[in-house]
Amino acid sequence: MNLCFVTGETLNSVWQNKLDLVESGGVLVFGFNGLGLVSYKKELEGQSEYFHDVAKLSKQINGVVISGCDTDTYGVYRHSAVISDKGKILGVTDMSHTIDESEFVAGGGFRVYDTSAGKIGLIIAEDLFFPETARILALCDAEIIICIYKKLEGNMEQVMLRAGAFSNGVAMALCADGYACVSDIRGKIVLASNSETLKANIKIEKDYRLISARRRGLYREFRSGY
């Protein structure tokens, strides 16, 4: 799977000036810098065309475009990402958890998108810190999991990315403000860069792990009495 991560430019600036970076049929991934704030009200009334631009760009590259964005649903704000494939909007994924107090609220559900490039699971921002997020997407047969993040504050994001890739047997990638990286299924960072763009050719490989746990002490059936 050919991917190009854009960590420091908007969708329109890349479209106008750097489209030659993207291979036809590949996956172009933007962080939250890609679209900024998107108002559903303005989109529906035709006052803005952010999602339309994502669809048009994906048609032009004959592939997949993913971009982070903050969405305004009539005054309700969420961290989100939109995904389009060959001119068609496939959906918008919202962050499903909130940490501490924030004006951004939790959205709903997780989803794996069946695209022309492969099955892509999306993780939005702090959802990365909750192991069940990557687990759910892996169980739903994601071939790669891409996390769209804002700005990294330390090393924890990379730690969680590597742990998720290793424990679930699926490659994971992260695209944030000024940084992008890819972890393979062994939990090893195979690519990382703080440049404005990072190109990667990821071999899709999966490793389903059979997990067992030792139980300590004596156990009886629930209704067997004591």
Side-chain angles (χ1 to χ4, degrees):
M1 184 182 293
N2 292 316
L3 299 103
C4 180
F5 300 95
V6 180
T7 68
E9 295 189 64
T10 66
L11 183 141
N12 281 330
S13 66
V14 171
W15 194 353
Q16 294 170 11
N17 304 312
K18 296 186 177 180
L19 206 55
D20 58 324
L21 292 172
V22 187
E23 296 187 28
S24 177
V27 181
L28 178 59
V29 184
F30 294 85
F32 281 89
N33 53 283
L35 292 178
L37 178 64
V38 178
S39 166
Y40 279 118
K41 182 177 184 294
K42 291 182 178 179
E43 289 285 293
L44 291 172
E45 293 178 351
Q47 298 178 40
S48 64
E49 295 184 336
Y50 289 100
F51 290 169
H52 182 64
D53 287 346
V54 174
K56 286 176 62 179
L57 180 55
S58 71
K59 184 176 182 179
Q60 185 162 342
I61 69 170
N62 194 38
V64 179
V65 175
I66 302 168
S67 180
C69 56
D70 291 329
T71 51
D72 173 8
T73 309
Y74 296 89
V76 178
Y77 295 92
R78 295 184 176 92
H79 296 313
S80 311
V82 59
I83 179 169
S84 180
D85 186 14
K86 295 184 176 181
K88 179 181 178 181
I89 295 290
L90 300 184
V92 178
T93 294
D94 299 324
M95 187 173 74
S96 296
H97 301 87
T98 56
I99 300 177
D100 302 324
E101 295 183 3
S102 172
E103 64 175 318
F104 292 92
V105 302
F110 307 110
R111 183 175 172 183
V112 173
Y113 295 92
D114 194 356
T115 76
S116 58
K119 296 179 180 179
I120 300 174
L122 291 183
I123 292 179
I124 312 302
E126 280 80 7
D127 282 349
L128 179 64
F129 297 138
F130 297 84
E132 64 269 22
T133 306
R135 172 67 70 184
I136 290 169
L137 295 174
L139 291 174
C140 290
D141 208 26
E143 294 175 333
I144 188 171
I145 298 174
I146 298 176
C147 176
I148 309 297
Y149 205 85
K150 286 234 170 184
K151 189 172 181 63
L152 273 61
E153 301 295 338
N155 298 322
M156 187 55 66
E157 294 85 358
Q158 192 182 90
V159 170
M160 294 302 296
L161 190 84
R162 296 174 63 190
F166 173 77
S167 61
N168 295 299
V170 59
M172 292 182 63
L174 181 143
C175 185
D177 181 13
Y179 181 77
C181 67
V182 179
S183 173
D184 65 15
I185 63 173
R186 287 160 286 278
K188 178 182 178 182
I189 296 295
V190 292
L191 284 170
S193 176
N194 57 5
S195 64
E196 290 186 344
T197 59
L198 172 66
K199 297 182 71 174
N201 188 349
I202 305 301
K203 179 183 177 182
I204 299 301
E205 55 178 345
K206 301 184 71 173
D207 185 6
Y208 296 96
R209 305 182 188 281
L210 297 177
I211 301 172
S212 62
R214 177 186 176 189
R215 292 183 176 182
R216 298 182 61 186
L218 298 175
Y219 287 82
R220 297 182 182 182
E221 292 297 327
F222 180 70
R223 295 183 180 178
S224 64
Y226 294 93

